[in-house]
Amino acid sequence: MVDKLKIQIADQFPFLDNKKLLLATSGGLDSMVMAHLFQQLHHDIALAHCNFQLRGVESFGDQKFVQDFADTNKIPVYVTQFDTLAFAKDYKLSTQVAARDLRYNWFYELLESENFDYILTAHHADDNIETFLINLSRGTGLEGLTGIPAENGNIIRPLLAFSRDEIAQYAHDHGIEWREDSSNASEKYLRNKIRHDLVPLLKELNPQFISSFQKTQSYLQQSEAMVEDASIMVYQQVVRQEEDEIYIDLKQLLRLPNYKSYLYQWLKEFQFSAWDDVYNLVDSLSGKQVYSSNFRLIKDRDFLILSPINFEEQQQEYLISQGVQDVKIPLKLSFCKVNDISVSANTAIFVDEDKLDYPLILRKWQEGDVFQPFGMEGKSKKLSKFFKDEKFSLLEKENCWILCSGEAVVWIVGYRQDERFKIQSTTQNILKIDLQ
Amino acid sequence: MVDKLKIQIADQFPFLDNKKLLLATSGGLDSMVMAHLFQQLHHDIALAHCNFQLRGVESFGDQKFVQDFADTNKIPVYVTQFDTLAFAKDYKLSTQVAARDLRYNWFYELLESENFDYILTAHHADDNIETFLINLSRGTGLEGLTGIPAENGNIIRPLLAFSRDEIAQYAHDHGIEWREDSSNASEKYLRNKIRHDLVPLLKELNPQFISSFQKTQSYLQQSEAMVEDASIMVYQQVVRQEEDEIYIDLKQLLRLPNYKSYLYQWLKEFQFSAWDDVYNLVDSLSGKQVYSSNFRLIKDRDFLILSPINFEEQQQEYLISQGVQDVKIPLKLSFCKVNDISVSANTAIFVDEDKLDYPLILRKWQEGDVFQPFGMEGKSKKLSKFFKDEKFSLLEKENCWILCSGEAVVWIVGYRQDERFKIQSTTQNILKIDLQ
């Protein structure tokens, strides 16, 4: 398997050579085998383990297991603990989705702060087959059948070409130890059923099932990319964005026999759910409308117009008192006094704390908001103009948070700092504000 | 089930009302239930039964069974017999594909000659699930997962929303008799395995599996239509057709990260199989080429150029002597003396036999071919111009047959008759030539 992986990397991921790799390591079979394999191949690796604290003492057992393995093998290791249940509750997420968000957010932080080039996860061929069949059994669209990508930005999944059997065999041959993967019981029941009953049947119908399946999935990925292309090409012809609203030209849209598919593709990210109502708008009377949690779609003569609606959250202000170190809602921000400024990404700013008016206010942007873009002394700019220049989509604008000191904008969070609060030679107290 | 079907028709196929419907009737469970249902709903129906002569006396048993049922119930019935094995051998087709081609060709002939509006087939929900799983087990692309369409031109499949269980229950409740469906043994083994083992497992994972699956398939159909849209939109930007060749602009093509998917979509109908060779052409030296059975793709500086190659078939001439009534190769044509002309579709012409020079010649078109389009007395037109005006694709041109009398074109088969051989008041012998 080492040799096969070596060829696989040369072939599919040649860019991994001489790079700093962070291996996501739960302590389960797959990730322990991945760690062992990459050590054999003499890559520059470190392990990252998340303790989600979902199974009490067992979770800490996993953590200790990974730490001990790293120490024994002299591999750097990063460990963090999450209050996953609290996070899930705060953001109204399933435990599984919460764990995934926490995990990947933390990986990206490590990537940046510790200068890793890539994050590696140990997903394998059977994971993809099982997910495909789970989604198929529940009902799904194309995106539910295409599987997890082998390469997605900085995340690489080098074991996707290997089956669970190969991985288990390797662990057996090399005396690799592991701990059982954590996953919730109902998901586990479903996966086990698929693993032990359904997949063997498919292999009985075709002994080459796994490799045929991998081809199938790669064809479906190609189709999915073409669907995305079609969606974008037709969007450019049929939709125009103006300030806060997008206009869908019905005369042009209805020339397409499959116009519903396009409406679905464009509007799905705005969380509509009553799709029949959305489709029916197309030939409703002017003035008829459909709502999602944050958006309204209205029929107006020859157009469907999508606009944001101001719900409580859009109006709500979150106050941050002096001395607070961490804010978790509506965003995760940390506040920390530092002695010097370092090179910063868009996810952190340094401000002169003495210029701030506490409590700071975290809120959504409002019509009329103005700021002084960092580096443009004395010049002010409307936020609406900034969004336009930066080509923000409607959704990006609505999701954008503003950190204010009184009326003054301190930070368009994650995008641009205000000039007025920047560090100067006279600054005495430096505050670092970090978006996580 | 009658009521559910009634609603289904009102909802999905309202255009069937008061139309002449031809029901494809094998004599098996599904088609006999369909016949019974449509009789209950008082539609204007007739049955069509093909005897493929694949199972000797059993096949004739099926035929008699359908005829008896029709007679008893006073439903018009059409029956035909095919030498399926010979046809399959002649055209190098699998028996299954041969039977399908024969069946649908005959249905279309009946549609035209007997003035039916629609052909109905009895495919049901489980057929789609089974085909999906067979294709999945073997490896497939999106088109292998989207299922048979409920509506495809004149062919309607009104039972697709019903499961096999519902159909069997209806047959049981109404004492409907049927004969076992004919299908080849290995296909039957596979379907049985899927029916009895795989589908029950999926239903165990989700009791609503069939209806979830129907949603899945309708989503996949939407995705497939969008793939087709993308393929066409990019084709229009990147490809130009000139006479006999198509030019793919590589500079434009290679701007697309997923350009291979587009090459595949455009070239698949030209029967290339060495896809890696096709993709590699993109960055080969000028002059490098890849062949399919009838086409050549050559790299020429910034273009890939697709052109037909003249194999034997392209050169071959088929002679038709006077008095011959049926030609089967390379096309199915029938020749028949008639007393009068009737309204004709593109699939039949009437000619003045005394003007013909026997033997007639059936051949592919050649550069320089000229004809006198029907209705344009005395004016001749190049075939190449005709193809261009009619916007023939490269493939359509290559597949087009010409019926000649000596050097003179009599018929661009299936498209346009020549003026010189048309029936006039002085015509004594009328010959009808039919394309089947």
Side-chain angles (χ1 to χ4, degrees), chain B residues 359-371:
Chain B
L360 301 179
I361 301 163
L362 200 54
R363 60 167 174 81
K364 291 293 175 80
W365 80 289
Q366 292 155 7
E367 204 56 53
D369 273 341
V370 162
F371 81 126

Side-chain angles (χ1 to χ4, degrees), chain B residues 102-219:
Chain B
L102 288 167
R103 180 166 57 225
Y104 282 107
N105 284 342
W106 181 60
F107 289 159
Y108 277 116
E109 281 171 34
L110 282 177
L111 195 81
E112 196 164 309
S113 62
E114 308 294 320
N115 290 314
F116 286 101
D117 297 295
Y118 294 99
I119 297 156
L120 272 52
T121 79
H123 292 88
H124 53 65
D126 291 82
D127 288 329
N128 264 347
I129 294 177
E130 288 160 21
T131 304
F132 180 104
L133 292 170
I134 286 174
N135 290 342
L136 176 65
S137 76
R138 290 172 175 166
T140 183
L142 184 55
E143 62 277 18
L145 302 179
T146 47
I148 199 159
E151 195 186 328
N152 187 8
N154 298 104
I155 300 176
I156 307 294
R157 301 185 171 95
L159 302 192
L160 272 186
F162 298 87
S163 68
R164 175 180 290 108
D165 289 347
E166 282 176 283
I167 291 170
Q169 184 65 46
Y170 182 86
H172 177 264
D173 294 347
H174 296 78
I176 296 169
E177 295 184 345
W178 74 90
R179 311 241 320 163
E180 274 308 309
D181 277 21
S182 69
S183 56
N184 75 57
S186 80
E187 177 81 13
K188 204 164 209 164
Y189 165 80
L190 206 55
R191 285 205 179 257
N192 276 334
K193 191 96 195 143
I194 284 173
R195 190 176 305 168
H196 298 303
D197 298 341
L198 203 51
V199 173
L201 252 176
L202 287 161
K203 285 184 186 162
E204 204 184 313
L205 295 179
N206 174 10
Q208 307 303 318
F209 174 68
I210 292 196
S211 77
S212 303
F213 176 82
Q214 288 176 329
K215 274 188 209 143
T216 298
Q217 220 160 30
S218 107
Y219 296 143

Side-chain angles (χ1 to χ4, degrees), chain A residues 137 140 193 204 206 229 262, chain B residues 137 193 204 206 216 229 262:
Chain A
S137 75
T140 183
K193 192 97 196 142
E204 202 185 317
N206 175 9
D229 289 349
Y262 287 94
Chain B
S137 76
K193 191 96 195 143
E204 204 184 313
N206 174 10
T216 298
D229 289 349
Y262 287 94

Side-chain angles (χ1 to χ4, degrees), chain A residues 132-143 145 189-190 193-194 197-198 201-202 204-206 208-209 212-213 215-217 219-220 222-231 233-234 237 256 258 260-262 264-265 279, chain B residues 132-143 145 189-190 193-194 197-198 201-202 204-206 208-209 212-213 215-217 219-220 222-231 233-234 237 256 258 260-262 264-265 279:
Chain A
F132 180 104
L133 293 169
I134 286 174
N135 289 342
L136 176 65
S137 75
R138 290 172 175 165
T140 183
L142 184 54
E143 63 277 17
L145 301 179
Y189 166 79
L190 205 56
K193 192 97 196 142
I194 284 174
D197 299 341
L198 203 51
L201 252 176
L202 287 161
E204 202 185 317
L205 294 179
N206 175 9
Q208 306 304 319
F209 174 68
S212 303
F213 176 81
K215 274 187 210 141
T216 298
Q217 219 161 31
Y219 297 142
L220 295 181
Q222 291 171 25
S223 295
E224 200 185 22
M226 293 181 72
V227 166
E228 188 58 25
D229 289 349
S231 173
M233 287 187 278
V234 175
Q237 290 165 14
L256 306 167
N258 52 344
K260 288 181 189 178
S261 312
Y262 287 94
Y264 176 77
Q265 287 290 330
Y279 303 143
Chain B
F132 180 104
L133 292 170
I134 286 174
N135 290 342
L136 176 65
S137 76
R138 290 172 175 166
T140 183
L142 184 55
E143 62 277 18
L145 302 179
Y189 165 80
L190 206 55
K193 191 96 195 143
I194 284 173
D197 298 341
L198 203 51
L201 252 176
L202 287 161
E204 204 184 313
L205 295 179
N206 174 10
Q208 307 303 318
F209 174 68
S212 303
F213 176 82
K215 274 188 209 143
T216 298
Q217 220 160 30
Y219 296 143
L220 295 181
Q222 291 172 23
S223 294
E224 201 184 22
M226 291 181 73
V227 166
E228 188 58 26
D229 289 349
S231 173
M233 285 187 279
V234 175
Q237 290 166 16
L256 305 167
N258 50 345
K260 289 182 188 176
S261 312
Y262 287 94
Y264 175 78
Q265 287 290 329
Y279 302 144

Side-chain angles (χ1 to χ4, degrees), chain A residues 118-265:
Chain A
Y118 294 100
I119 298 156
L120 272 55
T121 77
H123 293 87
H124 53 65
D126 291 81
D127 287 330
N128 263 349
I129 295 177
E130 288 160 21
T131 305
F132 180 104
L133 293 169
I134 286 174
N135 289 342
L136 176 65
S137 75
R138 290 172 175 165
T140 183
L142 184 54
E143 63 277 17
L145 301 179
T146 48
I148 199 158
E151 196 187 327
N152 187 7
N154 298 104
I155 300 176
I156 307 295
R157 300 187 172 95
L159 302 191
L160 273 185
F162 298 88
S163 68
R164 175 180 289 110
D165 288 347
E166 284 177 282
I167 290 170
Q169 185 64 47
Y170 182 86
H172 178 264
D173 293 347
H174 295 78
I176 296 169
E177 296 184 343
W178 74 88
R179 311 237 323 161
E180 275 307 311
D181 278 20
S182 68
S183 56
N184 75 57
S186 80
E187 178 80 13
K188 202 162 209 165
Y189 166 79
L190 205 56
R191 286 207 177 255
N192 276 334
K193 192 97 196 142
I194 284 174
R195 188 175 306 168
H196 299 302
D197 299 341
L198 203 51
V199 173
L201 252 176
L202 287 161
K203 285 184 184 162
E204 202 185 317
L205 294 179
N206 175 9
Q208 306 304 319
F209 174 68
I210 291 197
S211 76
S212 303
F213 176 81
Q214 288 176 329
K215 274 187 210 141
T216 298
Q217 219 161 31
S218 106
Y219 297 142
L220 295 181
Q221 284 160 5
Q222 291 171 25
S223 295
E224 200 185 22
M226 293 181 72
V227 166
E228 188 58 25
D229 289 349
S231 173
I232 292 171
M233 287 187 278
V234 175
Y235 186 93
Q236 287 167 343
Q237 290 165 14
V238 173
V239 181
R240 76 171 196 275
Q241 186 165 338
E242 282 193 6
E243 288 290 320
D244 254 15
E245 297 180 321
I246 71 171
Y247 287 71
I248 301 172
D249 184 329
L250 288 175
K251 278 194 184 157
Q252 290 201 56
L253 179 70
L254 294 178
R255 284 193 202 132
L256 306 167
N258 52 344
Y259 68 88
K260 288 181 189 178
S261 312
Y262 287 94
L263 280 180
Y264 176 77
Q265 287 290 330

Side-chain angles (χ1 to χ4, degrees), chain A residues 47-79:
Chain A
L47 311 185
H49 176 83
C50 304
N51 177 346
F52 295 106
Q53 304 196 62
L54 290 169
R55 292 168 305 120
V57 67
E58 242 188 273
S59 295
F60 283 92
D62 292 351
Q63 177 181 331
K64 185 168 180 314
F65 175 76
V66 172
Q67 280 175 317
D68 289 349
F69 172 85
D71 293 345
T72 309
N73 290 278
K74 299 195 174 49
I75 306 173
V77 61
Y78 301 85
V79 167

